[in-house]
Amino acid sequence: QKEVEQNSGPLSVPEGAIASLNCTYSDRGSQSFFWYRQYSGKSPELIMFIYSNGDKEDGRFTAQLNKASQYVSLLIRDSQPSDSATYLCAVSHSSASKIIFGSGTRLSIRP
Amino acid sequence: DTAVSQTPKYLVTQMGNDKSIKCEQNLGHDTMYWYKQDSKKFLKIMFSYNNKELIINETVPNRFSPKSPDKAHLNLHINSLELGDSAVYFCASSQDPGGRAWDEQFFGPGTRLTVL
């Protein structure tokens, strides 16, 4: 079992709709959870982090965390073509000395 | 510009050669990392250094040797390059060792290594 699992996609969403990206993790001791966005040929950049159960909103982005289910998700409201990218879920290791990345979900927003 | 920079951006070389990738950050961070991203976009940590000391070495072949002359620099030297080493290598930095909620990692632009 991979430590951080994501559906590789591609996930195709019409412009203006809500894109929902999901991630599961195996280390119950994980405490911090991150979503990075990576455009093709570019480096990853942090969009959001969350460490408490529940929802965290930042503009059009909402991160959701359920530690009991070992599940974290990212919702993107009013999707724009510029949101088309690969989204990497990352989870802190319980030793808190590193983060583990999932393989990413490729999101495509169609006009 | 404050950033994480890497050189070179592209590296094409023959099997068996030795090559180095350089990384510098001017963000004042204490921790630096090397990641490898393969063709399937899987980003895997290789090494991390905190204040010039190695804190993570993720079962990377000993052909890979990181060197941190100071906390702003973390270079990666690769001996006897193999076909499987072809990937994009990212350097990153953060204020503290990774894993804390506030601990954003800032990535360099990446070095695309192609071994022929």
Side-chain angles (χ1 to χ4, degrees):
Chain A
Q1 180 190 9
K2 289 181 184 173
E3 293 184 81
V4 180
E5 294 212 50
Q6 296 180 255
N7 187 320
S8 61
L11 175 65
S12 181
V13 172
E15 185 174 355
I18 296 175
S20 177
L21 303 160
N22 305 314
C23 172
T24 57
Y25 60 94
S26 61
D27 181 2
R28 282 201 170 272
S30 298
Q31 298 182 24
S32 304
F33 307 86
F34 308 83
W35 283 101
Y36 281 78
R37 177 176 62 200
Q38 187 175 23
Y39 291 114
S40 181
K42 301 294 185 184
S43 54
E45 54 180 340
L46 183 69
I47 321 176
M48 293 198 67
F49 67 83
I50 186 169
Y51 55 89
S52 298
N53 272 329
D55 294 0
K56 179 183 178 183
E57 189 174 316
D58 184 1
R60 297 187 296 113
F61 299 94
T62 299
Q64 299 175 317
L65 175 61
N66 183 328
K67 288 186 179 180
S69 302
Q70 294 174 249
Y71 177 91
V72 59
S73 64
L74 179 70
L75 302 178
I76 307 175
R77 288 183 300 283
D78 187 23
S79 296
Q80 304 295 311
S82 60
D83 295 326
S84 297
T86 296
Y87 289 79
L88 303 170
C89 173
V91 175
S92 67
H93 193 269
S94 52
S95 68
S97 62
K98 63 180 178 182
I99 61 174
I100 309 294
F101 283 85
S103 56
T105 298
R106 191 155 58 92
L107 174 65
S108 176
I109 306 300
R110 55 182 192 270
Chain B
D1 282 347
T2 54
V4 181
S5 58
Q6 290 179 233
T7 54
K9 191 166 173 61
Y10 299 96
L11 190 50
V12 180
T13 188
Q14 299 286 332
M15 253 189 341
N17 284 349
D18 303 338
K19 290 293 178 186
S20 292
I21 307 172
K22 294 186 176 181
C23 178
E24 176 181 0
Q25 56 94 4
N26 60 6
L27 298 165
H29 289 164
D30 288 338
T31 308
M32 296 184 72
Y33 312 82
W34 277 109
Y35 287 89
K36 178 181 180 181
Q37 188 170 46
D38 60 24
S39 57
K40 294 184 179 177
K41 298 296 185 186
F42 185 48
L43 192 64
K44 186 169 171 55
I45 190 167
M46 301 172 68
F47 302 102
S48 77
Y49 272 71
N50 181 253
N51 274 320
K52 301 194 299 176
E53 288 193 23
L54 179 68
I55 56 173
I56 291 175
N57 181 340
E58 285 288 300
T59 58
V60 176
N62 57 16
R63 297 183 295 106
F64 291 78
S65 52
K67 282 191 172 44
S68 182
D70 55 61
K71 73 174 191 177
H73 295 83
L74 180 61
N75 304 323
L76 183 65
H77 187 76
I78 316 170
N79 289 328
S80 303
L81 278 155
E82 300 178 357
L83 294 176
D85 297 332
S86 296
V88 179
Y89 292 83
F90 285 102
C91 178
S93 73
S94 66
Q95 183 51 50
D96 293 304
R100 295 174 177 80
W102 55 89
D103 194 37
E104 178 178 358
Q105 294 193 11
F106 292 81
F107 284 81
T111 296
R112 182 174 293 277
L113 172 65
T114 303
V115 183
L116 304 175

